[in-house]
Amino acid sequence: MTTQHIPPEWAFEFHGHRCPFMPIGYRMGKLALAHLGVEREKDHGLFVFPELGEGHPQTCMMDGMQVATGATYGKVLMAKTFYGKLAATFYHPKKGAVRFALKAEFIDAMGKFEFFAYRKRGVEPSEIPSAVTEEVIQWMFDQPDEFMFKIEPKPDFKFTPVKGSFNKTKCSVCGEYVFDRYVRTKDGQPMCIPCSGYDR
Ligand SMILES: [Zn+2]
Ligand SMILES: [Zn+2]
């Protein structure tokens, strides 16, 4: 099946440039929602664990995942595993978990497009000629789901979100509020982490 799942224009505005990886993450996120049988997350019920790391390309996928699923960084619904892999696990406590990974064959086929020759020379996506970028994006939209994604249900996946609390305390040194989970005690006084000099 080929379910293009073309991102809305605001997704490209949010992301900042046009590239193939934000739309790939978007498609992955939309397919994961369908797989789990859940709607785009309004509140705090769906978690995404991308396996991407840092210092490597293609992390743009994570912006597409956030747009598609509503499981955003700011809602603390997204946490990277730093495995350095092009994959993510999508987890809903009532619906279970599914892992999506990009297939190596798909990555290899996509890597032949001129877009990546520019990227390897260090050209930023916003500076790559638009026809070059649109060529690879359109090619990606036209690929079948099965060619792009390995999909594995993860029945044993476990995750316990941190219990939330609204309690906060004023740091005895800087006077700024610090949420209680992060309050440290030094010389019998409540302090924020920077003022305490303690490690996190
Ligand atoms: Zn991008
Ligand atoms: Zn302080």
Side-chain angles (χ1 to χ4, degrees), residues 166-186 188-196:
F166 288 93
N167 297 334
K168 58 189 184 310
T169 300
K170 268 186 198 153
C171 170
S172 60
V173 177
C174 68
E176 294 176 1
Y177 273 125
V178 51
F179 287 98
D180 279 359
R181 181 182 165 73
Y182 297 97
V183 172
R184 299 294 180 263
T185 304
K186 192 177 180 185
Q189 298 297 316
M191 288 183 201
C192 70
I193 290 170
C195 289
S196 73

Side-chain angles (χ1 to χ4, degrees), residues 15 17-22 60 125:
H15 185 53
H17 62 218
R18 292 185 72 86
C19 73
F21 277 93
M22 187 282 282
C60 291

Side-chain angles (χ1 to χ4, degrees), residues 11 28 41 56 64 80 88 109 112 125 155 166-167 174-175 194-195:
M28 187 187 271
E41 180 58 38
H56 65 73
K80 289 155 70 178
K112 297 192 174 87
F166 288 93
N167 297 334
C174 68
C195 289

Side-chain angles (χ1 to χ4, degrees), residues 63-84:
D63 278 350
M65 292 177 201
Q66 292 183 81
V67 166
T69 63
T72 65
Y73 181 76
K75 288 191 281 184
V76 201
L77 298 175
M78 175 170 274
K80 289 155 70 178
T81 69
F82 291 94
Y83 295 161

Side-chain angles (χ1 to χ4, degrees), residues 4-21:
Q4 292 190 320
H5 289 307
I6 296 170
E9 206 46 45
W10 68 261
F12 289 99
E13 281 173 34
F14 166 72
H15 185 53
H17 62 218
R18 292 185 72 86
C19 73
F21 277 93

Side-chain angles (χ1 to χ4, degrees), residues 122-190:
V123 182
E124 288 286 14
S126 68
E127 282 153 22
I128 295 174
S130 153
V132 170
T133 303
E134 296 310 318
E135 178 193 33
V136 66
I137 293 176
Q138 189 57 50
W139 175 82
M140 183 279 289
F141 284 148
D142 293 341
Q143 299 313 299
D145 300 339
E146 310 77 65
F147 178 57
M148 292 175 63
F149 301 110
K150 183 170 93 176
I151 304 171
E152 307 163 90
K154 290 277 175 190
D156 300 326
F157 187 85
K158 290 215 171 28
F159 171 70
T160 310
V162 172
K163 209 173 157 342
S165 162
F166 288 93
N167 297 334
K168 58 189 184 310
T169 300
K170 268 186 198 153
C171 170
S172 60
V173 177
C174 68
E176 294 176 1
Y177 273 125
V178 51
F179 287 98
D180 279 359
R181 181 182 165 73
Y182 297 97
V183 172
R184 299 294 180 263
T185 304
K186 192 177 180 185
D187 306 326
Q189 298 297 316

Side-chain angles (χ1 to χ4, degrees), residues 58 110-124 128-129 132-133 135-136:
Q58 303 164 1
M110 188 167 62
K112 297 192 174 87
F113 280 82
E114 201 183 352
F115 179 86
F116 294 96
Y118 279 92
R119 292 295 291 127
K120 282 182 188 144
R121 292 204 302 272
V123 182
E124 288 286 14
I128 295 174
V132 170
T133 303
E135 178 193 33
V136 66

